[in-house]
Amino acid sequence: MATSTLKILREVNDYSQDFVAEDILGISQPTYARLEQNPSKITAEQAQKLSDLYKVSIANLLSESTPVITFKQVNENNNSNNGYFGENTSNYHGGEVAVLKEQNAILIKQNAELMELVKVLGGKLAG
């Protein structure tokens, strides 16, 4: 079974099931665990609360396709984020953050290269 977007967003943001269930949705952790396994059972009110928490659209929140997670560099004086990377980054050791930043830079470069390849191939396919 594929991992749900709900679970991916929760884990990327370093939230526990208990936190999301009890503090955000006002439900029990086992009930929330079942929602992660079967997001089609989520109510409109729950979807809106989770959409607000993760700063993503409800459509993206409930999408069955694998979400694309982007990481934004955080200014040390400003702990703002893009809604995908949790504010609990202080729990990570400096070395882990450095590795994540390095991996992110590599992924950004690979993404740019892939986009160029798609443009080239797209032109050849259309011609």
Side-chain angles (χ1 to χ4, degrees):
M1 172 184 276
T3 303
S4 75
T5 300
L6 293 175
K7 181 175 181 178
I8 292 169
L9 288 171
R10 179 182 56 77
E11 289 180 348
V12 166
N13 282 279
D14 197 26
Y15 295 141
S16 69
Q17 282 188 341
D18 285 328
F19 169 75
V20 175
E22 295 169 10
D23 295 353
I24 303 302
L25 300 178
I27 60 177
S28 70
Q29 179 274 325
T31 300
Y32 179 74
R34 286 190 294 275
L35 287 178
E36 276 191 359
Q37 292 174 352
N38 188 3
S40 66
K41 301 289 184 185
I42 195 168
T43 68
E45 180 183 353
Q46 290 168 335
Q48 185 62 57
K49 287 179 180 181
L50 292 170
S51 172
D52 293 344
L53 174 67
Y54 298 124
K55 297 177 180 68
V56 298
S57 71
I58 292 174
N60 286 337
L61 181 78
L62 299 177
S63 173
E64 291 184 14
S65 62
T66 303
V68 175
I69 307 293
T70 57
F71 295 92
K72 176 178 162 184
Q73 183 148 353
V74 177
N75 182 335
E76 290 182 21
N77 298 324
N78 178 1
N79 287 334
S80 68
N81 63 51
N82 66 355
Y84 293 109
F85 197 81
E87 294 181 21
N88 296 331
T89 56
S90 61
N91 293 341
Y92 292 104
H93 298 289
E96 291 171 334
V97 171
V99 169
L100 287 172
K101 285 181 180 181
E102 182 179 320
Q103 289 173 343
N104 188 46
I106 292 168
L107 289 171
I108 289 170
K109 181 181 175 191
Q110 288 176 338
N111 186 52
E113 292 169 355
L114 285 171
M115 294 306 291
E116 286 301 315
L117 184 58
V118 166
K119 287 179 188 176
V120 169
L121 291 176
K124 289 183 179 180
L125 294 174

